[in-house]
């Protein structure tokens, strides 16, 4: 931010505010387009692609958490301190068979485990409240065995 501050001859706090406001505006406008909530048909298409590409039937996504390194925030102590010795926020995501984002939750503190992040995420809450339009159980390919759709933990 210092280089932007010098380049445009404005204060660091102004640069910080401009970046934050720009990111918020981009998120608000692009989120409904880029990360629209999947329909039942979309989940079925994802499951079909998982089976065709990875031979994993009834899989509708792979979930994982990734640490995004940040500078230590003021007055947060060890809240964002992660097991790798740095400071981070956690990006929890679900991807399709081609590793494209389907669901995203960003912002958990770096000290949390993947399981703890998932348990408190909007993704977990949406699954628990049946808000994701996940299809009902279906027969496994070439069988009559009915199984639910699942997420794979990466």
């Amino acid at each position: 931010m210092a280089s932007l501050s010098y380049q445009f001859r404005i204060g660091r706090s102004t640069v910080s505010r401009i970046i934050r406001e720009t990111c918020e505006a981009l998120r608000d406008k692009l989120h409904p387009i880029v990360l629209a909530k999947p329909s039942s048909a979309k989940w079925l298409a994802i499951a079909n692609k998982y089976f065709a590409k990875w031979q994993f039937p009834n899989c509708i996504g792979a979930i994982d958490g990734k640490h995004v390194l940040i500078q230590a925030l003021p007055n947060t102590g060890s809240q964002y301190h992660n097991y790798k010795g740095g400071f981070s926020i956690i990006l929890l995501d679900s991807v399709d068979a081609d590793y494209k984002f389907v669901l995203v939750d960003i912002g958990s503190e770096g000290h949390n485990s993947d399981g703890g992040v998932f348990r408190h995420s909007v993704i977990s809450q949406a699954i628990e409240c049946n808000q994701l339009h996940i299809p009902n159980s279906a027969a496994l390919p070439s069988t009559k065995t009915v199984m639910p759709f699942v997420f794979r933990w990466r």
Side-chain angles (χ1 to χ4, degrees):
M1 279 195 266
S3 62
L4 288 173
S5 176
Y6 292 127
Q7 184 177 358
F8 293 101
R9 296 182 182 162
I10 55 178
R12 284 184 175 176
S13 61
T14 304
V15 170
S16 177
R17 184 176 43 79
I18 290 169
I19 291 172
R20 184 177 56 253
E21 289 174 0
T22 302
C23 288
E24 288 172 358
L26 288 169
R27 180 199 63 212
D28 292 345
K29 292 295 181 189
L30 294 177
H31 184 268
I33 299 166
V34 177
L35 284 172
K37 192 184 298 185
S39 64
S40 291
K42 177 73 172 171
W43 288 122
L44 291 172
I46 291 171
N48 289 335
K49 187 106 183 213
Y50 258 103
F51 183 66
K53 191 167 189 172
W54 301 106
Q55 293 73 52
F56 192 149
N58 290 20
C59 181
I60 56 173
I63 295 179
D64 196 10
K66 293 295 177 195
H67 288 267
V68 178
L69 297 179
I70 60 170
Q71 285 185 339
L73 300 170
N75 304 317
T76 58
S78 62
Q79 195 172 7
Y80 290 88
H81 193 265
N82 64 38
Y83 68 94
K84 295 180 179 183
F87 293 87
S88 63
I89 59 172
I90 299 174
L91 168 105
L92 182 74
D93 65 79
S94 172
V95 297
D96 65 13
D98 295 320
Y99 303 108
K100 292 180 183 169
F101 289 117
V102 177
L103 303 170
V104 176
D105 183 282
I106 304 168
S108 292
E109 298 94 355
H111 72 274
N112 290 319
S113 67
D114 282 350
V117 170
F118 178 73
R119 185 172 38 261
H120 297 100
S121 72
V122 294
I123 296 172
S124 173
Q125 293 169 11
I127 291 170
E128 288 289 327
C129 296
N130 291 322
Q131 296 174 338
L132 290 181
H133 311 294
I134 296 173
N136 293 327
S137 300
L140 297 174
S142 304
T143 72
K144 292 182 180 181
T145 305
V146 176
M147 297 295 290
F149 287 92
V150 298
F151 288 95
R152 176 183 155 251
W153 197 266
R154 289 187 288 163

